[in-house]
Amino acid sequence: MSTIASALAASAAVNALPVINLEELGDSEQHTPAHSRLAHIARETGFFYLEGHGISPEHIARLEAAARQFFALPAAAKQQIAIAQTRHFRGYTGVGGEITRLQPDLREQIDFGEELPAVPPSPETPQWWGLQGPNQWPQAQPTLQSEILLWLDTTRAVAQRLLKAFLVALEQPATALNQLVASPHNHRLKIIHYPGQGSGQPDQGVAPHKDGGLLTLLLQDQVGGLQVQTPQGWLDVPPRKNAFVINIGEMLELATNGYLRANVHRVRSPGAGVSRYSIAYFFSPSLHAHEVPLLSLPAHLASQARGPESDPLNPLFSHIGTNALKGRVRSHLDVAQRFYPQQYAEHLAALASLDPAQKEAAQAYA
């Protein structure tokens, strides 16, 4: 059995992922045994729990309560901030409104991003600048804005510390990717509700996929349903209270030439009468950085880099804006049809060109 298979099998045996304590990594730029462990876990399992992040349980509980409060609002109140109203891909999406692997996800959510001014559209302005802009805020829950903006600031600081620890673990300067994540930021946040599905009903909370940013920091409630793909099958990721679940995104895979891999994961819907809630923070490159740089890994690490994977049905681009807009267009067809007609038409044409086997592979994430 390979090293990666052994590590994943060991994780599966205890039905849990490894745990990293951010405090143990500290802010040192010196490589320590804790950094070696981080590099090993990131390389061999890709997903892990993060504790010692410094965000108080009270702060987490307050945000989780605010999320539940929003999803309990009447449908009309939630639709007042519908995502299809803005070209910035910010706002509310109802159940089935987001598409993954050609199928609707059985979840409702609000997408947020860094609160920034919009870049005025013009014939000379690349379309992907539409990703930058202001958020939509629900009038029926005026306190949500301050909670979300505070969470964006708080979680960004944790993600920055973790990224620097990754760089030290890979024997890089801790500042090696500073320009990639410099202000103005392009990080995103989703608060998500997965309603329960009855027996015999589809249970695609979200289909198998990779995340497109650098790192994802996920808070999940106590219901469960998150799974990671492994050589042995799907590994459950049990809830661990007040711990983030961390996974590597495609942009970090690109930056390390595939030494680190973005992992395929999915969420199965809970059963009838049960709701699942989660809060996902996507630490992503700045649109102003334009291209993802390739890190100069030392020879003993570079020799293990396999090059980044790219799904032929969802190609991976090193240009940040192009890659990010591609992902939004594929996921939110209502926004694409209204604000990005050229990209929408190209996406439909690409789908129409697929033969049945390719469509089946797209849905299954071969």
Side-chain angles (χ1 to χ4, degrees):
M1 183 180 291
S2 68
T3 303
I4 184 170
S6 298
L8 288 166
S11 293
V14 297
N15 198 31
L17 297 180
V19 180
I20 290 287
N21 189 314
L22 191 55
E23 289 183 350
E24 294 177 359
L25 292 164
D27 294 317
S28 172
E29 296 188 12
Q30 300 299 315
H31 196 281
T32 69
H35 289 95
S36 295
R37 180 170 180 264
L38 173 64
H40 173 77
I41 288 172
R43 169 72 173 175
E44 303 300 343
T45 64
F47 269 70
F48 58 89
Y49 296 108
L50 185 72
E51 297 186 337
H53 46 69
I55 303 178
S56 71
E58 293 78 16
H59 190 175
I60 293 172
R62 193 169 67 243
L63 183 65
E64 290 176 334
R68 286 170 170 77
Q69 182 182 346
F70 174 83
F71 291 121
L73 291 173
K78 292 185 284 190
Q79 287 295 339
Q80 286 180 351
I81 60 166
I83 196 169
Q85 297 178 155
T86 170
R87 67 190 180 101
H88 309 306
F89 294 90
R90 316 285 180 86
Y92 173 74
T93 302
V95 175
E98 183 169 9
I99 305 298
T100 306
R101 307 308 296 183
L102 310 184
Q103 297 293 326
D105 294 326
L106 300 178
R107 61 180 183 173
E108 58 176 341
Q109 64 196 29
I110 324 177
D111 280 83
F112 299 102
E114 301 283 345
E115 188 74 10
L116 293 168
V119 177
S122 75
E124 294 76 32
T125 304
Q127 287 282 290
W128 44 263
W129 277 114
L131 298 172
Q132 178 176 307
N135 293 292
Q136 298 191 82
W137 303 107
Q139 294 181 356
Q141 192 181 355
T143 59
L144 187 62
Q145 179 173 354
S146 60
E147 290 288 353
I148 293 298
L149 293 179
L150 177 60
W151 188 258
L152 283 166
D153 289 342
T154 303
T155 316
R156 185 194 314 121
V158 174
Q160 288 169 338
R161 288 176 60 199
L162 182 58
L163 179 63
K164 288 181 178 180
F166 262 107
L167 291 170
V168 173
L170 298 179
E171 302 177 36
Q172 302 294 297
T175 58
L177 294 180
N178 276 9
Q179 289 300 318
L180 187 63
V181 294
S183 180
H185 302 297
N186 184 39
H187 314 306
R188 299 182 297 115
L189 179 71
K190 284 180 185 282
I191 61 174
I192 310 163
H193 168 223
Y194 298 87
Q197 303 298 317
S199 176
Q201 298 298 310
D203 67 348
Q204 177 178 305
V206 59
H209 68 286
K210 296 181 178 183
D211 290 343
L214 291 162
L215 294 167
T216 300
L217 284 68
L218 174 74
L219 285 175
Q220 56 175 344
D221 66 9
Q222 297 305 299
V223 172
L226 175 63
Q227 297 179 323
V228 180
Q229 192 177 58
T230 77
Q232 290 75 40
W234 290 102
L235 172 66
D236 289 322
V237 182
R240 190 176 180 94
K241 191 167 180 61
N242 296 328
F244 286 109
V245 178
I246 306 296
N247 69 276
I248 294 163
E250 291 177 317
M251 296 295 98
L252 194 52
E253 181 175 318
L254 271 178
T256 63
N257 195 33
Y259 178 82
L260 298 177
R261 291 284 187 168
N263 298 78
V264 177
H265 54 287
R266 69 182 184 185
V267 175
R268 313 314 295 170
S269 299
V274 178
S275 285
R276 178 183 188 268
Y277 299 90
S278 65
I279 299 166
Y281 177 80
F282 303 96
F283 189 63
S284 304
S286 170
L287 294 172
H288 294 255
H290 298 299
E291 295 279 343
V292 177
L294 182 64
L295 295 172
S296 297
L297 298 180
H300 70 99
L301 299 180
S303 64
Q304 301 176 60
R306 297 165 289 179
E309 291 181 339
S310 186
D311 177 1
L313 301 177
N314 184 23
L316 182 59
F317 302 108
S318 63
H319 187 272
I320 295 161
T322 301
N323 200 68
L325 181 58
K326 171 213 66 179
R328 306 297 191 280
V329 165
R330 292 169 63 93
S331 298
H332 294 280
L333 299 181
D334 49 355
V335 180
Q337 184 176 19
R338 181 175 180 183
F339 295 103
Y340 300 91
Q342 177 182 341
Q343 287 79 7
Y344 177 74
E346 291 171 351
H347 175 62
L348 292 186
L351 293 183
S353 69
L354 298 178
D355 61 36
Q358 289 174 313
K359 288 183 178 180
E360 183 178 354
Q363 293 169 357
Y365 205 104

XYZ file of all heavy atoms in Angstrom, residues 145-180:
284
model
N -24.945 42.353 8.562
C -23.826 42.988 7.876
C -22.605 43.113 8.780
O -21.495 42.740 8.391
C -24.234 44.375 7.360
C -23.092 45.092 6.645
C -23.535 46.384 5.978
O -24.724 46.715 5.946
N -22.596 47.126 5.428
N -22.785 43.622 9.987
C -21.642 43.786 10.883
C -21.045 42.439 11.272
O -19.815 42.295 11.380
C -22.057 44.572 12.132
O -23.087 43.898 12.846
N -21.894 41.418 11.441
C -21.391 40.094 11.797
C -20.544 39.515 10.664
O -19.470 38.940 10.900
C -22.554 39.147 12.111
C -23.291 39.452 13.401
C -22.472 39.100 14.635
O -21.387 38.495 14.495
O -22.913 39.435 15.740
N -21.012 39.645 9.430
C -20.298 39.078 8.290
C -18.984 39.816 8.055
O -17.928 39.186 7.826
C -21.171 39.113 7.026
C -22.366 38.170 7.173
C -20.353 38.775 5.787
C -21.995 36.709 7.357
N -18.997 41.136 8.100
C -17.767 41.892 7.858
C -16.723 41.604 8.935
O -15.522 41.503 8.635
C -18.075 43.388 7.781
C -18.927 43.812 6.576
C -19.190 45.311 6.607
C -18.257 43.412 5.258
N -17.165 41.452 10.179
C -16.235 41.099 11.249
C -15.667 39.707 11.021
O -14.465 39.466 11.210
C -16.939 41.182 12.603
C -16.096 40.763 13.821
C -14.853 41.640 13.948
C -16.944 40.830 15.096
N -16.522 38.769 10.581
C -16.052 37.403 10.342
C -15.045 37.366 9.190
O -14.045 36.638 9.247
C -17.227 36.477 10.053
C -16.828 35.039 9.984
C -16.647 34.279 8.860
C -16.516 34.175 11.080
N -16.251 33.000 9.188
C -16.169 32.913 10.552
C -16.508 34.351 12.469
C -15.807 31.838 11.350
C -16.163 33.268 13.272
C -15.812 32.038 12.716
N -15.285 38.129 8.148
C -14.340 38.197 7.042
C -12.969 38.661 7.525
O -11.937 38.094 7.145
C -14.864 39.139 5.952
C -15.971 38.598 5.045
C -16.616 39.726 4.253
C -15.425 37.537 4.092
N -12.943 39.689 8.371
C -11.667 40.189 8.893
C -11.009 39.160 9.810
O -9.801 38.919 9.723
C -11.887 41.497 9.666
C -12.235 42.665 8.765
O -11.985 42.576 7.550
O -12.763 43.670 9.280
N -11.804 38.559 10.684
C -11.262 37.621 11.664
C -10.710 36.373 10.996
O -9.598 35.912 11.301
C -12.358 37.236 12.676
O -12.861 38.417 13.302
C -11.812 36.309 13.746
N -11.467 35.811 10.073
C -11.050 34.571 9.426
C -9.900 34.812 8.457
O -9.034 33.940 8.291
C -12.236 33.926 8.702
O -13.388 33.969 9.541
C -11.940 32.485 8.348
N -9.863 35.984 7.823
C -8.747 36.311 6.942
C -7.426 36.252 7.711
O -6.415 35.727 7.210
C -8.920 37.701 6.333
C -7.844 38.049 5.309
C -7.816 39.539 4.958
N -9.125 40.064 4.697
C -9.665 41.081 5.390
N -9.004 41.632 6.396
N -10.863 41.523 5.083
N -7.424 36.764 8.940
C -6.198 36.752 9.739
C -5.749 35.321 10.035
O -4.546 35.012 10.007
C -6.412 37.528 11.038
N -6.704 34.427 10.315
C -6.366 33.018 10.552
C -5.804 32.398 9.280
O -4.779 31.689 9.309
C -7.603 32.238 11.035
C -7.297 30.750 11.143
C -8.098 32.782 12.365
N -6.441 32.651 8.157
C -5.999 32.065 6.889
C -4.606 32.564 6.509
O -3.788 31.803 5.969
C -7.002 32.393 5.788
N -4.330 33.834 6.766
C -3.005 34.379 6.473
C -1.931 33.672 7.296
O -0.858 33.332 6.780
C -2.990 35.880 6.729
C -3.766 36.684 5.699
C -3.962 38.144 6.097
O -3.900 38.495 7.286
N -4.198 39.003 5.126
N -2.219 33.438 8.577
C -1.266 32.712 9.433
C -1.053 31.287 8.921
O 0.073 30.797 8.879
C -1.772 32.679 10.872
C -1.716 33.991 11.613
C -2.328 33.847 13.003
N -1.618 32.862 13.809
C -2.134 32.278 14.886
N -3.371 32.579 15.285
N -1.413 31.407 15.576
N -2.136 30.650 8.518
C -2.028 29.273 8.053
C -1.260 29.196 6.736
O -0.428 28.300 6.541
C -3.418 28.665 7.897
C -3.482 27.197 7.463
C -2.724 26.297 8.431
C -4.939 26.745 7.338
N -1.502 30.135 5.824
C -0.777 30.130 4.556
C 0.722 30.306 4.797
O 1.546 29.623 4.170
C -1.301 31.232 3.634
C -0.589 31.333 2.276
C -0.789 30.061 1.453
C -1.060 32.555 1.498
N 1.089 31.206 5.698
C 2.511 31.396 6.000
C 3.116 30.127 6.586
O 4.257 29.768 6.278
C 2.678 32.577 6.954
C 2.422 33.925 6.300
C 2.630 35.083 7.264
C 2.420 36.422 6.555
N 2.625 37.571 7.485
N 2.345 29.438 7.438
C 2.835 28.175 7.995
C 3.043 27.143 6.884
O 4.023 26.381 6.903
C 1.856 27.650 9.041
N 2.147 27.098 5.909
C 2.320 26.200 4.774
C 3.610 26.524 4.021
O 4.364 25.622 3.633
C 1.134 26.335 3.814
C 0.077 25.283 3.982
C -1.140 25.597 4.557
C 0.293 23.991 3.560
C -2.128 24.642 4.715
C -0.687 23.021 3.703
C -1.899 23.346 4.282
N 3.861 27.799 3.795
C 5.051 28.190 3.053
C 6.321 27.789 3.795
O 7.273 27.280 3.197
C 5.022 29.700 2.785
C 3.940 30.150 1.802
C 3.818 31.668 1.793
C 4.236 29.632 0.398
N 6.350 28.021 5.109
C 7.501 27.605 5.907
C 7.647 26.084 5.850
O 8.754 25.553 5.732
C 7.368 28.104 7.358
C 8.484 27.530 8.233
C 7.399 29.633 7.406
N 6.516 25.381 5.920
C 6.551 23.919 5.847
C 7.139 23.429 4.532
O 7.775 22.382 4.482
C 5.144 23.359 6.037
N 6.953 24.193 3.463
C 7.486 23.838 2.146
C 8.848 24.479 1.893
O 9.313 24.525 0.749
C 6.505 24.237 1.052
C 5.134 23.550 1.090
C 4.253 24.041 -0.034
C 5.275 22.036 1.039
N 9.468 24.983 2.976
C 10.818 25.561 2.926
C 10.875 26.779 2.005
O 11.849 26.993 1.272
C 11.835 24.491 2.520
C 11.842 23.296 3.468
C 12.803 22.188 3.049
O 13.884 22.518 2.531
O 12.444 21.010 3.239
N 9.811 27.589 2.084
C 9.715 28.832 1.331
C 9.777 30.013 2.304
O 9.470 29.866 3.494
C 8.391 28.897 0.560
C 8.160 27.754 -0.397
C 9.138 27.772 -1.539
O 9.162 28.707 -2.334
N 9.958 26.740 -1.625
N 10.124 31.208 1.817
C 9.975 32.388 2.676
C 8.511 32.563 3.066
O 7.612 32.328 2.248
C 10.443 33.533 1.772
C 11.280 32.894 0.714
C 10.703 31.528 0.498
N 8.277 32.952 4.298
C 6.894 33.119 4.760
C 6.155 34.181 3.971
O 4.920 34.207 3.949
C 6.886 33.461 6.245
N 6.894 35.054 3.298
C 6.298 36.151 2.517
C 6.158 35.814 1.035
O 5.786 36.680 0.240
C 7.165 37.408 2.664
O 8.503 37.100 2.205
C 7.225 37.874 4.120
N 6.422 34.578 0.645
C 6.522 34.233 -0.779
C 5.252 34.520 -1.575
O 5.323 34.790 -2.773
C 6.905 32.758 -0.931
N 4.092 34.449 -0.931
C 2.833 34.685 -1.649
C 2.113 35.941 -1.172
O 0.910 36.080 -1.384
C 1.920 33.454 -1.505
C 2.409 32.178 -2.180
C 1.429 31.031 -1.960
C 2.641 32.379 -3.678
N 2.857 36.845 -0.554
C 2.222 38.070 -0.047
C 1.500 38.837 -1.143
O 0.380 39.330 -0.947
C 3.261 38.977 0.615
C 3.527 38.587 2.062
O 3.074 37.545 2.529
N 4.286 39.413 2.774
N 2.132 38.972 -2.309
C 1.505 39.741 -3.383
C 0.249 39.052 -3.901
O -0.694 39.715 -4.340
C 2.505 39.947 -4.534
C 3.630 40.904 -4.222
C 3.123 42.293 -3.880
O 2.213 42.814 -4.510
N 3.697 42.906 -2.889
N 0.228 37.741 -3.823
C -0.922 36.993 -4.328
C -2.177 37.254 -3.494
O -3.291 37.198 -4.018
C -0.601 35.502 -4.337
C -1.616 34.568 -4.996
C -1.761 34.879 -6.481
C -1.223 33.113 -4.797
